[in-house]
Structures are given as C-alpha cells and as structure tokens.
C-alpha cells in the first residue's frame, strides 16, 4: 500500500475455548512505515523508518503524517476501501486472515 511496509492490528476476543468461540473486530488499525519500502540491503538495513511500523518509533519522524486516510496510522476500514479501489478481493483477504486467527 503506497509502497510502504505495514502491519495490521486486529482485535480478537476469545470468549470460550470449549467450544471455541472467537470474535474479530472489523475495524482495527493499519500502521505504516514512514520511508518507502525497498528490499533490505547493506545500505538500508538500519533504516528503522523503512523497516519498522511501530508507532512509538515512527511518530518522531518529521515525515510522519497524521491523517486518517493518507497518514501512517489508519483504520482498517480505510485499508478495505483501498483494497476495493485497487481490485483486491477484500472478502477473500479477510477470510484468509480469519483462517490464520
């Protein structure tokens, strides 16, 4: 997305183990790295703003953008919109994520 490395913060609630009962909140967070991604190399391996998405680190960058739609910390609903606008099957992606959970 936007040539930036990102991670998803998905909130999950387990209310029972037997029988297994899991609820997934549909609007967590997407956290983006600040610097556009490049494959790791000797010249960029230490660039934490490219390789890490941790808000505690990225928020100190002068390039960090605070914006709900184009910023470095967005709601998953904005990612879902991006999936739809760029031809990705949002339902399949979420089905795959739920299989992992």
């Amino acid at each position: 997305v936007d040539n930036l490395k990102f991670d998803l913060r998905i909130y999950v609630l387990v209310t029972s183990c037997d029988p297994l009962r899991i609820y997934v909140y549909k609007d967590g967070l997407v956290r983006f790295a600040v610097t556009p991604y490049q494959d790791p190399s000797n010249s960029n391996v230490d660039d934490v703003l490219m390789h890490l998405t941790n808000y505690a680190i990225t928020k100190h960058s002068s390039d960090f953008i605070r914006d709900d739609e184009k910023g470095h910390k967005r709601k998953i609903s904005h990612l879902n919109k991006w999936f739809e606008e760029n031809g990705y099957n949002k339902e399949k992606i979420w089905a795959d994520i739920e299989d992992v959970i």
Side-chain angles (χ1 to χ4, degrees):
V1 176
D2 300 336
N3 199 33
L4 297 171
K5 188 174 182 179
F6 68 94
D7 68 39
L8 303 176
R9 179 170 285 185
I10 301 171
Y11 298 96
V12 177
L13 173 66
V14 178
T15 60
S16 175
C17 291
D18 190 16
L20 184 60
R21 189 172 299 124
I22 301 172
Y23 297 91
V24 179
Y25 181 60
K26 296 296 182 187
D27 203 11
L29 296 175
V30 185
R31 301 179 307 170
F32 291 86
V34 174
T35 303
Y37 182 77
Q38 298 174 6
D39 289 336
S41 68
N42 289 336
S43 63
N44 70 24
V45 74
D46 293 327
D47 186 348
V48 296
L49 295 176
M50 178 188 305
H51 298 294
L52 299 180
T53 60
N54 187 313
Y55 176 70
I57 294 169
T58 59
K59 70 180 179 180
H60 298 293
S61 169
S62 60
D63 294 326
F64 185 85
I65 299 171
R66 287 173 172 77
D67 181 86
D68 289 340
E69 293 190 24
K70 294 291 181 186
H72 292 103
K73 190 174 178 182
R74 309 175 201 173
K75 291 182 178 180
I76 284 180
S77 58
H78 292 287
L79 179 65
N80 286 335
K81 180 180 174 186
W82 186 91
F83 286 153
E84 292 170 354
E85 291 171 349
N86 289 276
Y88 291 92
N89 184 337
K90 177 182 74 173
E91 288 74 23
K92 169 136 179 38
I93 291 169
W94 279 103
D96 290 347
I97 290 170
E98 289 179 1
D99 282 349
V100 171
I101 295 171

